[in-house]
Amino acid sequence: MSTTVTLPTFLSKLNSRQEVAEGTMVFRFEKPAGWAFKPGQFVDMTLLDPLETDSEGNTRTFSIASAPHEETLMVATRMRDTAFKRVLRAMPLATTVKIEGPFGTLILQNNAARAAVLLAGGIGITPFRSMLVHAANATLSHRMFLFYSNRRPEDAPFLDELQALEGKHQHYTLIATMTEMEKSHRPWHGEMGQISKEILSRYLKDALSPSYHIAGPPGMVKGLHTMLTEIGVDDADIRAEEFAGY
Ligand SMILES: Cc1cc2nc3c(=O)[nH]c(=O)nc-3n(C[C@H](O)[C@H](O)[C@H](O)COP(=O)(O)OP(=O)(O)OC[C@H]3O[C@@H](n4cnc5c(N)ncnc54)[C@H](O)[C@@H]3O)c2cc1C
């Protein structure tokens, strides 16, 4: 006997879109009443009858960048020159897409006594923006550290918002780091270089039994996972999401 599993699916209209970093846009969609997700989860989005398509098809996976209490379902993406993203960028507001989900286990641990260490590379910030905005809104008591690596401030989605959030969320520390400041036109007084063992140990000295969450392009996620293993972090304390396709 076979069992059919029905995935949660709904149709949703595009409400707005906006640039949030160079070459990076957010898209806000209608959220159906009663649709629930946990910060850190993702959806599969399918374009319906798009004007063009290519061999990669009409569906992409996106982490949900909005928090559950926010009005819309927001995703953010690097606008590369692919058929899917050309359609997404140009389609009229109120165009309908199909959404399946939520999926995924990159969620905050229940135990608020443990520190949550969030490691993001570039667009990998999306699930963590959801978690941090939710944590501030729900006044969660988890100690949270966001290590956020980008080439330049110009490339870093939500950077200003994540900096401002430190003032609203007393248990949260942002450690943003830039790897190619020589190509930037903006001032930067924060950390430089990739997320390293040295940076982690400097900020996590007093972190209580941390659990680690990693998100970003596959190469970066693998690199950080290896680094955590080398410093003795148990695999059971690491949750990682590779943004396949980058
Ligand atoms: C769990 C999960 C969560 C994700 N969350 C997000 C998210 O929040 N935001 C997000 O943007 N993405 C996210 N992704 C990745 C996303 O699903 C897409 O794969 C990604 O955005 C790339 O889509 P694309 O249309 O640009 O490329 P695709 O058309 O899907 O092409 C992918 C392939 O073509 C290559 N390619 C395409 N264009 C270029 C280019 N300009 N330069 C070099 N190589 C190229 C890629 O290397 C890759 O091999 C997530 C993936 C997963 C699995």
Side-chain angles (χ1 to χ4, degrees):
M1 195 180 74
S2 72
T3 313
T4 310
V5 178
T6 312
L7 294 172
T9 301
F10 59 90
L11 298 179
S12 177
K13 288 190 171 132
L14 176 64
N15 270 356
S16 67
R17 75 189 131 217
Q18 170 194 349
E19 190 166 69
V20 279
E22 270 184 28
T24 305
M25 293 185 77
V26 297
F27 297 83
R28 295 188 183 85
F29 291 86
E30 278 176 356
K31 200 173 66 169
W35 184 70
F37 68 94
K38 292 189 173 150
Q41 289 195 295
F42 61 85
V43 293
D44 285 341
M45 180 179 297
T46 302
L47 303 176
L48 305 172
D49 298 321
L51 283 176
E52 58 167 324
T53 188
D54 62 17
S55 59
E56 298 292 332
N58 299 330
T59 302
R60 294 291 182 284
T61 300
F62 293 118
S63 295
I64 305 163
S66 47
H69 70 276
E70 293 182 296
E71 224 168 82
T72 56
L73 163 56
M74 177 173 72
V75 299
T77 190
R78 298 290 197 209
M79 297 309 292
R80 301 196 306 194
D81 195 20
T82 66
F84 184 99
K85 290 182 179 175
R86 283 193 296 272
V87 172
L88 198 60
R89 179 200 291 274
M91 66 193 197
L93 295 184
T95 299
T96 301
V97 299
K98 185 174 85 171
I99 308 265
E100 289 168 79
F103 308 115
T105 56
L106 188 80
I107 55 177
L108 200 60
Q109 75 279 358
N110 287 329
N111 184 353
R114 299 187 65 187
V117 179
L118 315 178
L119 306 169
I123 195 65
I125 193 61
T126 46
F128 302 143
R129 189 237 170 232
S130 176
M131 275 185 203
L132 289 161
V133 171
H134 168 70
N137 180 67
T139 57
L140 297 187
S141 59
H142 297 68
R143 185 76 180 91
M144 298 174 85
F145 297 86
L146 171 64
F147 293 84
Y148 185 22
S149 173
N150 283 274
R151 292 193 172 93
R152 309 168 305 156
E154 291 91 321
D155 305 313
F158 310 115
L159 181 60
D160 294 344
E161 182 187 20
L162 292 164
Q163 284 170 333
L165 205 58
E166 280 191 303
K168 299 178 192 157
H169 182 358
Q170 56 169 328
H171 306 302
Y172 152 62
T173 303
L174 168 67
I175 306 100
T177 181
M178 302 297 154
T179 59
E180 292 185 13
M181 274 313 289
E182 68 281 5
K183 295 184 182 155
S184 173
H185 299 292
R186 286 214 215 154
W188 181 248
H189 306 292
E191 295 288 345
M192 308 260 269
Q194 296 188 342
I195 300 168
S196 61
K197 294 174 188 170
E198 184 276 321
I199 291 190
L200 288 181
S201 68
R202 194 148 35 90
Y203 286 92
L204 298 178
K205 273 198 296 280
D206 304 320
L208 220 60
S209 54
S211 73
Y212 294 82
H213 302 66
I214 318 172
M220 189 208 171
V221 171
K222 287 192 180 80
L224 285 171
H225 202 134
T226 303
M227 190 176 83
L228 293 177
T229 306
E230 282 169 6
I231 60 174
V233 177
D234 201 293
D235 246 11
D237 294 328
I238 305 173
R239 292 181 187 191
E241 199 95 277
E242 293 188 6
F243 283 13
Y246 280 109

